[in-house]
Amino acid sequence: MKDPPEPEPAAAAASPQRDVEPSPPPPPQTQPRLLRLRCAVQHYEWGRRGPASLVARLADEDPDPARPYAELWMGTHPSGPSTLLGGGGELLRDWLARNPDALGPAVAARWGGDLPFLFKELKDILKTVPEVQGLVGHEDAGKLMNTKEYDGGNQVKSNLQSAFAKLMTANKDMVSEAVSKLTSRLNIESKIRTLTDKEQLILSLEKQYQQDVGVLAALFFNYVKLSPGEALYIGANEPHAYLSGECIECMATSDNVVRAGLTPKYIDVQTLCSMLTYKQAFPEILRGVPVQPHVRRYTPPFDEFEVDCCLVPPGELVVISPVPGPSIFLVMTGEGELQADSQSAGEKAKEGDVFFVPAYTEVKLSTCGPESMQLYRAGVNSRFFS
């Protein structure tokens, strides 16, 4: 689980059904039922700086005003592993290796001693943006313009891949000239008409990433603005970029990121262009499904994870039923208490506190004070156990 940039958080088939054995009864528990975690901060250049960053506040750090605070990683990823507070700095991953029952048998069998999740259209463009058409080239632009809706999927993908690759591998001087021409034209036209959201995005990106091919590549992408409470899921090999705001992100644990623009990090254009899906669809917006009072669930079509949003009103008790896999809880706002089923006393919880919860553990949530407490829970997708 990680917490990068107001949610800014493509349709995909549902996970196939599988025949599984019924979940065995929970094993006897000897380990602590709640583990308070210290989580890793990632200082990527696109992060907000100093006290303005929600990440810095959640991490309970005394932020350096000049340093960016981009993401708070909660999980076992080796690039940003969580450690146990009060446990001598022991890695959560090492603790799980000694206590595999905390994962539950199904998760341990599938993913070993690890957490599977980390709680971290184009024709109009070619007609109206000559700067892009010039980089794509007459031949590839013509193929896209002549593509019919009934053309085979492989042919459409091939045309898209060829055109996108031409753009992304264009000569740097040509890219710089195209970006300059496009932004100059849009600045002039903004005085006589209202620019589209995507045109305004181009001008904003150019201010941050001058002469970057990613400024032009943004025209090939969907531009999605999420309201509070909304989410989207992104499948493997589908490109994306966070642009602004702060959100909760949950992802399958991996280290397979390929970058090609809008970043000071290493870019690998050839690999990116060869691996993308080139789907033509607007991403599905998830608004969550109520699973019980005060709890909404966001369920992507992946086995590795799901995310619950829990809003606990003052004076009420919210009980999270036991699940056959591990969970991580993040307190976003407010103050309260988390109580595990085998503990006589609860754990005080405030903004930025993170807890690991083993499999088969009931958790009771309550507030302290006059305001609601908001938490997020990341866990293995419930469909995996059905």
Side-chain angles (χ1 to χ4, degrees):
M1 180 170 101
K2 68 176 181 177
D3 177 27
E6 164 176 346
E8 284 274 313
S15 301
Q17 295 294 317
R18 56 171 63 80
D19 294 326
V20 297
E21 295 295 327
S23 297
Q29 300 292 347
T30 57
Q31 69 268 15
R33 304 306 300 154
L34 288 178
L35 297 177
R36 194 180 291 265
L37 301 181
R38 183 185 302 279
C39 302
V41 174
Q42 303 291 4
H43 299 279
Y44 303 140
E45 281 301 314
W46 52 260
R48 290 188 176 182
R49 296 183 182 273
S53 172
L54 174 61
V55 170
R57 298 199 301 273
L58 291 177
D60 196 25
E61 290 196 352
D62 183 15
D64 179 348
R67 196 174 192 192
Y69 293 78
E71 297 179 352
L72 182 66
W73 283 24
M74 291 154 265
T76 56
H77 196 290
S79 296
S82 297
T83 58
L84 274 57
L85 274 176
E90 182 180 14
L91 293 176
L92 174 60
R93 181 174 184 142
D94 293 343
W95 185 90
L96 290 172
R98 295 190 293 103
N99 298 274
D101 288 347
L103 294 171
V107 174
R110 171 72 180 272
W111 288 288
D114 207 351
L115 299 181
F117 55 87
L118 180 63
F119 200 57
K120 205 183 171 222
E121 325 307 341
L122 292 175
K123 290 185 179 181
D124 287 342
I125 297 298
L126 294 175
K127 289 178 182 177
T128 60
V129 188
E131 296 86 357
V132 169
Q133 185 177 130
L135 293 180
V136 168
H138 177 75
E139 181 179 355
D140 284 282
K143 288 180 181 179
L144 280 178
M145 295 297 293
N146 294 324
T147 298
K148 308 298 181 184
E149 292 183 3
Y150 51 79
D151 286 345
N154 289 336
Q155 184 60 52
V156 173
K157 176 180 176 179
S158 176
N159 291 344
L160 282 172
Q161 182 175 9
S162 180
F164 188 69
K166 283 286 184 63
L167 172 67
M168 297 301 293
T169 58
N171 177 278
K172 289 186 177 180
D173 290 337
M174 295 176 62
V175 169
S176 178
E177 181 180 4
V179 171
S180 178
K181 285 184 177 180
L182 175 57
T183 54
S184 296
R185 177 170 63 81
L186 292 179
N187 280 319
I188 293 172
E189 293 184 10
S190 69
K191 295 178 173 57
I192 57 175
R193 68 176 177 89
T194 301
L195 299 181
T196 66
D197 284 351
K198 190 167 281 190
E199 288 172 334
Q200 293 175 11
L201 170 64
I202 293 302
L203 293 179
S204 175
L205 290 176
E206 193 276 334
K207 291 179 181 179
Q208 295 177 267
Y209 304 97
Q210 296 88 353
Q211 304 177 356
D212 192 305
V213 70
V215 175
L216 301 175
L219 292 167
F220 280 61
F221 289 19
N222 292 303
Y223 182 31
V224 185
K225 294 182 179 180
L226 295 184
S227 299
E230 294 183 335
L232 60 81
Y233 61 86
I234 301 169
N237 298 335
E238 294 180 11
H240 65 282
Y242 292 102
L243 300 176
S244 65
E246 292 167 323
C247 72
I248 291 292
E249 179 188 7
C250 190
M251 59 178 283
T253 299
S254 70
D255 210 10
N256 302 324
V257 178
V258 179
R259 303 174 181 86
L262 303 182
T263 177
K265 293 187 175 184
Y266 171 75
I267 64 174
D268 188 346
V269 173
Q270 296 291 349
T271 298
L272 180 81
C273 291
S274 67
M275 66 185 278
L276 299 183
T277 60
Y278 296 99
K279 291 180 180 177
Q280 298 185 83
F282 194 84
E284 179 184 356
I285 303 299
L286 304 179
R287 293 175 175 84
V289 176
V291 292
Q292 67 181 78
H294 312 303
V295 179
R296 299 185 70 84
R297 177 163 295 166
Y298 299 84
T299 307
F302 319 125
D303 284 346
E304 285 84 354
F305 61 86
E306 66 188 13
V307 175
D308 289 345
C309 178
C310 312
L311 188 63
V312 186
E316 294 200 29
L317 180 68
V318 175
V319 180
I320 305 299
S321 300
V323 295
S327 301
I328 284 183
F329 282 76
L330 164 67
V331 182
M332 283 291 292
T333 60
E335 295 184 4
E337 185 175 277
L338 279 70
Q339 183 176 16
D341 50 10
S342 64
Q343 289 183 327
S344 58
E347 288 276 351
K348 297 295 183 182
K350 66 181 188 310
E351 177 183 288
D353 283 350
V354 181
F355 298 89
F356 173 82
V357 178
Y360 302 107
T361 302
E362 179 184 85
V363 179
K364 298 177 181 178
L365 309 173
S366 58
T367 60
C368 295
E371 297 186 1
S372 297
M373 179 173 63
Q374 185 181 41
L375 305 91
Y376 286 89
R377 181 195 74 89
V380 176
N381 197 313
S382 299
R383 295 174 179 171
F384 172 70
F385 304 107
S386 63

